[in-house]
Amino acid sequence: MFKEYNLENVEAKVNEALKKAHKSHELYNDVVTFIDPRAQLANMPKTGKMLGVPIALKDNVCTKGIRTTACSNILNDYEPIYDATIVKKLAAAGAISICKTNMDELAMGGTNLTSNIGACLNPWDTSRMSGGSSGGSAVIVASGAVDFAIGSDTGDSVRKPASYCGVVGVKPTYGRISRYGIIPYSSSLDHVGYFTRTIEDAAVALEVLAGRDDLDMTSSDRPVEAYSQQLNSELKGKKIAVFKNVYDGLTNPDTKALFAKLIANLTAKGAIVEEVSFDEKLLKAILPAYYLIANCEATANHSNLDGIRFGVRKPGKDVEEIMINSRTAGFGSLIRKRFVIGSYGLFVENQEKLFRQAQRVRRLIVEEVKRCLDEYDCLLAPASNDIAPKLNDHGRDELSDEYLIIENHMIIGNFTGYPSMTVPMGMINGCPIGVNLTCKAFAEQTMFDIGAGIEEITGLKDLKKEAA
Ligand code: GLN
């Protein structure tokens, strides 16, 4: 926890964290690049909310002079000439970045199996995946090497791996944290998010990260609240909407039982818990609409990764051939598939019926989320149907209701931009599973408060799986 750090023995503690991070990497492949902390230690501030806290950054966060690959071959030798705004903010708060973490290539994917350095393994069971795309960040926090790691969340890329790895995963409101210097995926859905092992640390971290940044025109100038000072785990009177479709659709009886137990405990603590139903048709439209919007935006955002303007250049007889060769060698098969979908959706003749139609569907889904949350403080549902899947589990039917609804409902947090967080809910066969809560825009305080109440109920505060 952040409180355990300060200026005392800072160098020794950072080196200790680095040692643990190396161990974690050996076991789980969660790190892309280690960072020499000496320059940061020499330039540390004397005060700050994260003084001396060793931290990790997802490898899509630009770090000046430090390799930033987003786990894609095309960015294999990319060294940014500037720091992302959040990197500066974390340094100003006294945090020390010790490594860049493994991720799905360009943050596309939910498994961390598509990274160019290979899969990231789940510390609770190494035959299982970490989840993605921010897998390395989830794992390095779960393994106890660091207490904080930055991730990014476009569909659920912080909240899903948080569930699988047993840590807290936060995606604040769209615009709450500057995205300047984050390699983009889908600009209307991308959020900076992060991992901790306690709600209190999550509250402190948002105080450090949030705020207007003139370098990101989508960042909000709404004042940043004193989330950690105001933190209050009192559940009495909190109005919680249980996401009925997700609850009903759970096929894993253990997950269902854990969730039912949590609901009973919330009620016993005085929360007002009621079920709300989401329009089923709209619910099933979430994933298709998401894929269209995300892939179209990604295709546009990454058109500069061509070996000419950006990226590793491959030889060719003319500009076109250089681009084709660079992009063919530079991207993995999932990325190439997604660019095909994205390009197709952006064809002049398809734009109206695909890309724009998907945006209209998104609008309807946002209205439906608003309706569901209208009278409640948060919408609650398990973050997934099951614990982390096995590494070789490719047999999922992506058109099944289970997949469409249970595995993808957290995308509502990206469609609406509302704050959403996953907190550990319990253990099944020795592996963790999380519960997700989504609140109204800029209601991060409420989200942390309810999260703190849940943390007290489950007793899973500071859960970690340290290497033996
Ligand atoms: N699994 C989703 C996707 O593949 C989410 C990715 C993300 O949030 N970055 O697009």
Side-chain angles (χ1 to χ4, degrees):
M1 284 177 275
F2 297 173
K3 276 188 182 143
E4 290 156 22
Y5 296 89
N6 47 48
L7 280 180
E8 228 171 278
N9 296 328
V10 55
E11 205 175 322
K13 284 186 179 170
V14 167
N15 286 333
E16 175 67 24
L18 262 167
K19 219 164 91 192
K20 283 190 187 169
H22 276 281
K23 178 85 190 161
S24 184
H25 178 57
E26 245 169 63
L27 296 169
Y28 317 123
N29 194 32
D30 51 357
V31 176
V32 183
T33 305
F34 288 95
I35 302 175
D36 182 341
R38 280 174 296 186
Q40 294 174 76
L41 287 166
N43 294 312
M44 256 182 89
K46 295 279 170 283
T47 58
K49 291 183 177 171
M50 292 176 71
L51 206 57
V53 179
I55 63 163
L57 305 166
K58 187 173 177 176
D59 206 34
N60 60 354
V61 177
C62 285
T63 39
K64 190 175 174 180
I66 296 166
R67 201 166 156 251
T68 300
T69 70
C71 289
S72 181
N73 286 338
I74 200 130
L75 290 171
N76 216 24
D77 58 4
Y78 177 50
E79 279 187 12
I81 53 169
Y82 66 99
D83 276 326
T85 295
I86 54 166
V87 172
K88 289 191 174 157
K89 284 194 165 209
L90 287 162
I96 309 288
S97 301
I98 64 163
C99 63
K100 308 287 295 283
T101 58
N102 195 356
M103 57 186 281
D104 276 305
E105 181 173 7
L106 296 170
M108 292 184 219
T111 58
N112 215 128
L113 300 176
T114 70
S115 161
N116 70 339
I117 65 157
C120 182
L121 311 183
N122 193 304
W124 297 92
D125 175 350
T126 51
S127 72
R128 295 181 183 275
M129 54 179 84
S130 59
S133 61
S134 314
S137 289
V139 168
I140 201 157
V141 172
S143 76
V146 296
D147 292 352
F148 175 87
I150 287 287
S152 64
D153 189 313
T154 303
D156 59 14
S157 273
V158 163
R159 294 162 289 155
K160 189 57 83 67
S163 172
Y164 290 161
C165 296
V167 293
V168 175
V170 180
K171 180 206 79 66
T173 309
Y174 191 81
R176 188 65 300 188
I177 300 177
S178 165
R179 301 181 297 177
Y180 179 73
I182 312 297
I183 295 172
Y185 166 7
S186 170
S187 306
S188 77
L189 299 166
D190 288 347
H191 294 66
V192 170
Y194 56 89
F195 301 90
T196 62
R197 289 189 309 273
T198 70
I199 300 293
E200 191 186 348
D201 282 355
V204 173
L206 191 59
E207 292 167 19
V208 170
L209 294 165
R212 170 72 191 172
D213 174 15
D214 286 340
L215 296 170
D216 175 1
M217 67 172 185
T218 63
S219 70
S220 168
D221 51 17
R222 226 179 140 101
V224 179
E225 293 165 52
Y227 307 104
S228 63
Q229 277 169 38
Q230 294 164 20
L231 195 62
N232 179 355
S233 61
E234 177 62 60
L235 288 163
K236 199 167 178 352
K238 287 278 182 329
K239 296 198 74 183
I240 297 174
V242 168
F243 205 142
K244 184 170 170 12
N245 321 56
V246 178
Y247 189 20
D248 289 351
L250 293 169
T251 57
N252 183 330
D254 295 328
T255 307
K256 206 161 191 160
L258 278 175
F259 190 59
K261 195 170 122 202
L262 175 63
I263 294 172
N265 281 322
L266 288 165
T267 310
K269 293 247 179 193
I272 301 152
V273 186
E274 290 167 358
E275 290 187 333
V276 299
S277 293
F278 203 97
D279 181 282
E280 194 81 6
K281 240 200 245 144
L282 287 175
L283 201 55
K284 287 184 187 163
I286 291 177
L287 190 63
Y290 167 78
Y291 270 141
L292 261 171
I293 296 170
N295 289 331
C296 288
E297 291 186 10
T299 303
N301 275 331
H302 293 312
S303 60
N304 63 353
L305 296 177
D306 55 13
I308 306 277
R309 285 166 294 179
F310 264 104
V312 177
R313 183 174 302 176
K314 294 290 172 196
K317 65 177 183 318
D318 52 27
V319 171
E320 196 180 335
E321 204 181 277
I322 289 173
M323 285 188 184
I324 291 171
N325 292 346
S326 302
R327 284 175 73 88
T328 304
F331 298 122
S333 70
L334 181 85
I335 304 297
R336 294 204 294 264
K337 274 184 219 156
R338 289 191 175 202
F339 287 166
V340 170
I341 297 171
S343 305
Y344 187 78
L346 290 174
F347 282 172
V348 175
E349 61 271 35
N350 294 340
Q351 244 180 58
E352 188 56 34
K353 65 174 188 288
L354 293 176
F355 184 54
R356 297 210 189 289
Q357 185 71 353
Q359 284 174 321
R360 282 190 282 268
V361 173
R362 174 179 180 177
R363 172 48 53 195
L364 293 175
I365 292 166
V366 169
E367 291 304 325
E368 181 66 358
V369 179
K370 273 193 188 150
R371 186 189 65 75
C372 287
L373 263 171
D374 204 21
E375 289 174 25
Y376 298 94
D377 293 311
C378 85
L379 193 55
L380 192 76
S384 56
N385 188 41
D386 211 335
I387 54 172
K390 291 276 189 186
L391 287 164
N392 56 6
D393 180 8
H394 297 304
R396 299 213 271 187
D397 176 2
E398 300 204 352
L399 292 177
S400 67
D401 282 3
E402 180 197 323
Y403 191 78
L404 284 176
I405 298 173
I406 319 293
E407 297 305 332
N408 286 289
H409 65 85
M410 290 191 289
I411 293 171
I412 62 168
N414 305 77
F415 274 3
T416 55
Y418 289 179
S420 184
M421 170 170 84
T422 296
V423 187
M425 171 168 77
M427 307 292 288
I428 299 172
N429 299 330
C431 288
I433 185 159
V435 64
N436 177 255
L437 43 156
T438 300
C439 298
K440 290 175 183 144
F442 294 101
E444 276 86 358
Q445 187 69 58
T446 307
M447 181 171 82
F448 291 141
D449 288 350
I450 297 174
I454 293 175
E455 188 177 66
E456 280 176 16
I457 288 174
T458 61
L460 297 177
K461 185 176 179 172
D462 202 19
L463 181 66
K464 57 184 145 184
K465 178 76 176 131
E466 280 174 300

